[in-house]
Amino acid sequence: MASGVEELLDMLFEMIDEAKNAPLSSDKCVIERDRALDLIDDIRSQFPMELTEARKMMARRAEMEAESKRKAESIVRSAEERAKQMLASDAVALQAKQRANDMIRQAEERSRALKRSANEYCEDALRRTEEAVAEAFEEIKQSRSRFRAAAAATINNNPGAQPQGGRPIFDADRN
């Protein structure tokens, strides 16, 4: 079985591309209906996996955000504890306060940078997934349209004939 939607679409394209021309026609072809339908079913079954991957990326993003928040809070707590310890001495009190504020500021900047980086990563990954799914969906629609046109042409050129395999041609627009 093929590993992904793109590979399945490539197989479907190759099957149509290599199909024999219909008699007396150069732009129409004859394909194995069952094989084409099986490929389309396989493509449909792959979509949930692609969506699962997108969900995993979103969960990973949330985990990264939570981790950055925990790190920032830990740094803030550490800075506050250190500042409290340094306040024990009057001579060092002012220096400790400044250092604690600097550490808090740095922790907050780091937290914002980590959050921004996680958001950009997830946004890019979701955008690429969305584009891949949209492209695959568009290819399926085009393949289906070409398939219907080929099937209709075959029936119109030979109205009394049954398609290969004896199964009637399903046309969602007529049924």
Side-chain angles (χ1 to χ4, degrees):
M1 180 172 176
S3 63
V5 172
E6 290 185 39
E7 189 176 333
L8 289 167
L9 288 170
D10 288 342
M11 291 169 63
L12 183 60
F13 179 85
E14 187 177 310
M15 182 175 66
I16 293 170
D17 190 45
E18 293 176 357
K20 294 179 182 177
N21 285 346
L24 304 174
S25 175
S26 64
D27 63 338
K28 294 178 177 134
C29 63
V30 177
I31 62 171
E32 295 177 42
R33 177 190 330 276
D34 288 339
R35 188 170 161 219
L37 291 173
D38 287 344
L39 283 174
I40 290 171
D41 285 342
D42 288 346
I43 291 167
R44 282 185 180 149
S45 71
Q46 289 289 323
F47 273 120
M49 287 189 288
E50 301 272 343
L51 295 175
T52 300
E53 288 300 316
R55 286 187 187 111
K56 284 180 185 177
M57 283 184 219
M58 289 175 64
R60 205 169 329 143
R61 173 185 174 200
E63 288 173 13
M64 289 173 72
E65 286 177 358
E67 180 64 23
S68 11
K69 186 176 182 179
R70 281 192 298 273
K71 284 182 181 180
E73 289 171 354
S74 172
I75 292 170
V76 167
R77 276 192 305 275
S78 173
E80 288 172 348
E81 288 174 19
R82 192 162 179 196
K84 287 177 186 176
Q85 292 172 358
M86 294 175 81
L87 286 175
S89 169
D90 285 342
V92 187
L94 181 59
Q95 183 183 12
K97 204 173 202 178
Q98 285 178 325
R99 188 152 182 187
N101 287 337
D102 287 344
M103 289 176 76
I104 289 171
R105 181 185 46 77
Q106 288 173 353
E108 289 172 347
E109 287 175 6
R110 176 109 170 104
S111 174
R112 283 191 297 271
L114 285 171
K115 196 175 201 179
R116 185 173 41 253
S117 176
N119 285 343
E120 289 171 358
Y121 170 79
C122 288
E123 178 64 29
D124 183 56
L126 289 171
R127 177 192 50 78
R128 285 182 284 146
T129 300
E130 181 181 24
E131 289 172 357
V133 168
E135 183 178 321
F137 181 69
E138 191 58 39
E139 288 181 27
I140 289 170
K141 286 183 1 187
Q142 290 173 1
S143 296
R144 190 172 178 208
S145 176
R146 287 192 300 268
F147 176 75
R148 281 184 175 164
T154 302
I155 289 173
N156 290 340
N157 288 340
N158 195 356
Q162 279 281 333
Q164 193 174 24
R167 280 179 40 188
I169 294 177
F170 176 77
D171 187 348
D173 293 334
R174 292 191 309 180
N175 292 330

